[in-house]
Amino acid sequence: MTETAIRPEPRTTAFSLIRATALDHAARREHDEPPPPNREMYNDLTSVLQNWHAADTLREDSLLLAEWLAVELCGYLYGQLNQDRDRLDQWLREFGDQVCHSQMHAHPAGPTAVEIMSVVADELATRPDGPAGQRLIRIGVPYLHYVRQDHAVEDAREIALTFALWAGQQLAELMRHEVARINGYLDSRIR
């Protein structure tokens, strides 16, 4: 068995999550409500995270997963907003306010995800070809602060699912909820 089969790559996991959520949104296009929870995706993600935990790479790999998801999400948003930095900033402020007001429980993933998105959006708009290492350091601070030692798998899963749900919805909208376009786009990104 290859190492990839034993320990999936964060990039592969990110695109798998985005595909699942985008296709769920595309399938629910006629309905004016979010798709029901995808238990298979949840279980697959939990398995991947537990695998990383067993390999003692959870913090690093889950941080890379969050980065991939955030970069994709911000890219979809930036594209939808015609690469207008002011509109992206406005969207992030408004969305961030909504998230902060709606997630009032003790340990919400949303505000941390918005903080990470802000870092990624800043770099997409100002330094699209800049060093990814600097971005990783900047998103690592809020991410690693959010992930509690005794709840690392659970917290990493919440961040990943938060990003995946948002990214999948944005990609589905960007691709006009057309399954072929979603799959074609993701297939080209995976190569």
Side-chain angles (χ1 to χ4, degrees):
M1 198 175 271
T2 66
E3 183 176 326
T4 304
I6 295 169
R7 198 175 116 231
E9 292 295 321
R11 179 179 187 269
T12 304
T13 303
F15 284 116
S16 176
L17 291 170
I18 292 170
R19 184 184 306 269
T21 57
L23 293 176
D24 285 349
H25 277 281
R28 300 289 293 184
R29 181 179 182 191
E30 310 82 48
H31 307 285
D32 200 19
E33 59 191 49
N38 184 326
R39 276 305 195 196
E40 182 179 347
M41 179 184 68
Y42 179 91
N43 292 337
D44 289 348
L45 175 59
T46 300
S47 178
V48 166
L49 295 171
Q50 288 172 337
N51 188 301
W52 291 343
H53 189 310
D56 201 27
T57 63
L58 177 64
R59 291 175 77 78
E60 298 85 1
D61 285 344
S62 65
L63 175 59
L64 291 171
L65 172 60
E67 180 188 32
W68 272 106
L69 291 165
V71 167
E72 288 298 309
L73 171 56
C74 287
Y76 306 153
L77 290 167
Y78 202 48
Q80 284 181 335
L81 299 171
N82 298 319
Q83 299 182 358
D84 183 326
R85 176 57 203 251
D86 292 334
R87 287 180 64 199
L88 180 61
D89 286 343
Q90 180 182 352
W91 186 94
L92 280 169
R93 278 191 305 275
E94 291 171 2
F95 186 68
D97 286 346
Q98 289 174 343
V99 167
C100 288
H101 290 313
S102 67
Q103 294 193 359
M104 301 300 271
H105 52 85
H107 194 65
T112 300
V114 170
E115 187 175 352
I116 291 169
M117 284 174 55
S118 295
V119 170
V120 171
D122 180 51
E123 293 207 359
L124 281 176
T126 59
R127 293 182 282 156
D129 297 323
Q134 291 296 321
R135 177 179 58 231
L136 199 56
I137 291 168
R138 290 180 60 204
I139 69 173
V141 172
Y143 180 81
L144 295 174
H145 179 72
Y146 175 80
V147 177
R148 301 166 293 180
Q149 186 65 32
D150 295 342
H151 301 280
V153 169
E154 172 187 327
D155 292 347
R157 180 179 53 227
E158 289 307 309
I159 288 285
L161 287 174
T162 298
F163 275 128
L165 292 172
W166 295 346
Q169 179 180 2
Q170 293 300 323
L171 180 60
E173 289 174 12
L174 188 63
M175 298 296 154
R176 297 185 195 110
H177 294 89
E178 295 176 18
V179 171
R181 289 184 72 196
I182 292 168
N183 282 323
Y185 172 79
L186 289 171
D187 289 345
S188 71
R189 290 287 291 140
I190 292 171
R191 291 187 189 127

